[in-house]
Amino acid sequence: MDDFARRLILATQQGLPLVPEPYAELARSLGCDEKAVLAGLEDLLARGVIRRIGVVPNHYAIGYTANGMSVWDVDDAKVDALGEQIGQIPGVTHCYRRPRHLPGWPYNLFAMVHGGSREEVLAQVEVLRAVLGEACRASDILFSTRILKKTGLRLTA
């Protein structure tokens, strides 16, 4: 990664400036023009260095205060296809396949669900259960009790 790409990531990893022309503001702070910022971001996206540019709402601030990581013991022959389906369901924000840690942890599919209440999260989990059907042998849900970290990977200067 060249120096400009690194400086661009450092300048944007906390979010875009909340101004009418955020890319122009970034350009000013980086000492370049707006076209260079846009080309740099397009290059980072094309190379897979960054996955996307988008809005990340604070779900607590908009009323989604119940968060549950649903964990599922799904037939290994079906987990990838079913995980793809689960990941597309509204309300699921993260969906992962993970290795089991037997004998105590049989779960291989994880899906994070958010709602305004535990009851709402539990209702959404029932939708997931219906999709998984007989391929699911066991499940549980782990509710968040507090936020310990709320950021992704951050580069350091």
Side-chain angles (χ1 to χ4, degrees):
M1 183 166 39
D2 67 20
D3 180 62
F4 178 72
R6 184 172 186 74
R7 290 188 307 120
L8 184 56
I9 290 171
L10 286 168
T12 57
Q13 68 185 1
Q14 296 295 331
L16 294 175
L18 298 176
V19 298
E21 296 180 347
Y23 299 110
E25 180 65 30
L26 281 172
R28 281 189 287 281
S29 73
L30 293 169
C32 62
D33 63 20
E34 188 173 4
K35 286 183 181 180
V37 167
L38 293 171
L41 291 171
E42 287 177 16
D43 177 62
L44 291 169
L45 283 165
R47 291 189 296 131
V49 175
I50 60 175
R51 289 183 291 208
R52 63 186 169 89
I53 299 170
V55 175
V56 181
N58 178 335
H59 58 275
Y60 288 94
I62 59 176
Y64 292 98
T65 56
N67 309 289
M69 178 61 77
S70 62
V71 293
W72 308 88
D73 175 8
V74 176
D75 181 337
D76 288 323
K78 298 178 181 179
V79 68
D80 288 340
L82 289 169
E84 288 288 333
Q85 290 178 40
I86 294 298
Q88 299 302 312
I89 294 174
V92 174
T93 58
H94 305 75
C95 188
Y96 305 99
R97 180 179 184 179
R98 294 285 187 247
R100 304 170 197 280
H101 291 281
L102 298 172
W105 191 258
Y107 309 112
N108 61 341
L109 182 63
F110 294 39
M112 189 65 163
V113 179
H114 303 279
S117 67
R118 282 184 175 229
E119 293 74 23
E120 189 177 322
V121 170
L122 291 169
Q124 290 183 56
V125 166
E126 289 308 311
V127 172
L128 306 185
R129 187 178 316 285
V131 171
L132 295 171
E134 292 184 13
C136 178
R137 297 177 287 246
S139 67
D140 204 346
I141 185 161
L142 311 170
F143 281 97
S144 300
T145 58
R146 62 185 172 130
I147 301 172
L148 300 175
K149 181 181 182 227
K150 193 68 180 148
T151 63
L153 173 68
R154 299 284 186 237
L155 295 183
T156 58

